[in-house]
Amino acid sequence: MLFVAIFEDSPGMSAVRQANGAAHIEHLKRHAKEIRVGGGLRTSPDAPFSGGMWILDVDSRDRAVALIESDPYYEPAHRRYRLYHWNKVQDCPVEL
């Protein structure tokens, strides 16, 4: 099943990012078969991060939640998320 997670950060998230950046990247790498695309979101290229987005390919919604909530960036006080089931229309590879 495909899911999209949209993360919204509070201003206090910048300290979490600094403290846990390396562990967060390791989490993404360790689960790359399930967290297929991930990255930070900004309001402009030079603005601080204000959130993030993942595209997940997992067996269940529960698994998506487990991956999100085991991420070193997950701090409920500073990072909220919305999780959507995604119905992909085009079945073609995405090159970034």
Side-chain angles (χ1 to χ4, degrees):
M1 286 187 237
L2 295 172
F3 290 89
V4 174
I6 304 293
F7 301 97
E8 296 178 26
D9 296 352
S10 75
M13 186 61 189
S14 61
V16 175
R17 284 178 178 276
Q18 285 183 316
N20 298 325
H24 167 71
I25 296 300
E26 183 56 37
H27 180 77
L28 295 175
K29 288 179 181 177
R30 187 172 50 253
H31 300 290
K33 290 185 179 182
E34 294 174 294
I35 305 170
R36 303 300 301 267
V37 175
L41 298 173
R42 305 172 189 229
T43 57
S44 66
D46 57 342
F49 288 106
S50 57
M53 184 195 76
W54 290 359
I55 296 176
L56 301 102
D57 188 355
V58 293
D59 291 334
S60 67
R61 186 178 202 289
D62 288 342
R63 178 61 181 156
V65 169
L67 287 167
I68 291 166
E69 294 186 1
S70 64
D71 178 16
Y73 269 12
Y74 180 65
E75 286 283 337
H78 300 294
R79 177 167 260 209
R80 297 184 337 212
Y81 69 89
R82 290 175 284 143
L83 186 59
Y84 299 97
H85 184 264
W86 182 34
N87 293 316
K88 184 179 173 191
V89 175
Q90 293 179 310
D91 192 22
C92 58
V94 175
E95 293 185 35
L96 302 174

